[in-house]
Amino acid sequence: MAFQSTENYIVSAELALAVNAAVTLEKPLLIKGEPGTGKTRLAEELAQSLGAELIQWYIKSTTKAQHGLYEYDAVSRLRDSQLGSERVQNIANYIKPGKLWQAFTAAKRPVLLIDEIDKADIEFPNDLLHELDQMRFYVHETGEQIIAVARPIVIITSNNEKALPDAFLRRCFFHYIRFPDAEVLRQIVEVHFPQIRQQLLSTALEIFFELRELPGLKKKPSTSELLDWLKLLLAEQIPPEVLQQQQQQGGLMPMFGALLKNEQDVQLVEKLAFIAKRQGR
């Protein structure tokens, strides 16, 4: 396997190398990076390029490692017992397979995405160590052992909201997705908007990077937010001349709500524009 950029997804040479290395080593690939840099999309494109099933496990603050293995519905079994149902004779009727179970028993090697692992409790990654290492786990209620038919390709994403345990990190191949430079970002945009005018794209990218570099910005706009902004500019047929004029004047650009996501950043841009005007810019 040699994963590389697809028609719909541009990857750097470093990211492609990381994917291929993790697959060769049969280790989970831990991907970190700013929100909106395509971490989740990577798993989707990898699965599509391999013709493999994508099994997605979205992590929440309440998610436990056990949820990925299976869940035992004791309440339903108790209710059925009270109603005299014959289903209670087979405890397997109350076992719900989790995402790891689905990945382990897939007929063809799947891609398993464990998305935003840093949202869960700090013990969550450690609780998965044995299963990800051994590719097997034990179902205590039935005495069954689930063993992976084929070792799934595991992609784990993190927004770096909290540190992950060293023991977990040792078992992963790590890659940090750097924010793309102007040339890579241009390629990404042209994948999504192949007919975009180059003058509009150049002006938009210049404004976008100026905005990201503003000191004190609470949330820098991401790649996905740039794409949303361009989609709106194209839908409203805003010409590049309007963007250039707004850039020279300073302040909020058209459709700024696609790029700025909190009132502090909106106020910051307005304040800097006001100061620039007072200084005779």
Side-chain angles (χ1 to χ4, degrees), residues 40-213:
T40 301
R41 184 73 181 275
L42 170 66
E44 297 170 356
E45 293 295 329
L46 176 59
Q48 185 174 352
S49 68
L50 296 175
E53 178 187 5
L54 175 62
I55 299 174
Q56 299 171 293
W57 186 12
Y58 297 110
I59 306 303
K60 302 177 182 179
S61 59
T62 55
T63 303
K64 303 298 181 184
Q66 180 64 33
H67 298 158
L69 307 181
Y70 66 92
E71 294 183 67
Y72 169 51
D73 191 351
V75 174
S76 292
R77 191 179 187 212
L78 175 61
R79 184 187 63 242
D80 288 348
S81 176
Q82 293 171 340
L83 295 174
S85 173
E86 295 183 358
R87 295 183 75 245
V88 298
Q89 302 303 320
N90 185 0
I91 197 172
N93 290 326
Y94 305 94
I95 301 293
K96 180 183 177 182
K99 298 298 183 180
L100 264 69
W101 187 326
Q102 295 175 32
F104 287 3
T105 56
K108 181 182 176 182
R109 187 185 196 188
V111 174
L112 171 63
L113 169 65
I114 304 177
D115 204 23
E116 298 189 344
I117 194 172
D118 52 326
K119 282 187 175 181
D121 183 87
I122 189 62
E123 293 303 321
F124 176 85
N126 279 338
D127 291 343
L128 285 178
L129 287 179
H130 177 76
E131 286 74 18
L132 291 178
D133 258 354
Q134 302 299 318
M135 286 290 151
R136 65 179 66 197
F137 63 89
Y138 188 73
V139 183
H140 298 281
E141 289 78 3
T142 63
E144 180 183 9
Q145 185 171 222
I146 305 300
I147 302 175
V149 175
R151 181 178 285 268
I153 299 172
V154 182
I155 305 293
I156 302 172
T157 71
S158 169
N159 288 328
N160 228 9
E161 293 182 3
K162 65 179 69 167
L164 299 174
D166 288 343
F168 179 79
L169 295 175
R170 284 198 302 270
R171 289 165 170 82
C172 297
F173 190 94
F174 171 75
H175 182 77
Y176 182 86
I177 297 182
R178 295 185 179 89
F179 195 83
D181 59 24
E183 183 55 37
V184 174
L185 208 51
R186 179 181 292 271
Q187 295 175 30
I188 293 172
V189 170
E190 289 174 346
V191 164
H192 293 269
F193 308 110
Q195 305 301 323
I196 192 170
R197 293 172 57 187
Q198 291 301 308
Q199 185 181 359
L200 175 63
L201 176 55
S202 296
T203 304
L205 286 178
E206 188 175 334
I207 293 172
F208 176 76
F209 278 106
E210 285 179 357
L211 185 60
R212 278 185 56 86
E213 292 169 4

Side-chain angles (χ1 to χ4, degrees), residues 218 252 256 260-270:
K218 188 173 182 180
L252 299 173
F256 69 88
L260 300 174
K261 296 304 176 72
N262 59 68
E263 63 276 13
Q264 294 97 322
D265 288 345
V266 172
Q267 291 169 2
L268 173 64
V269 172
E270 291 177 326

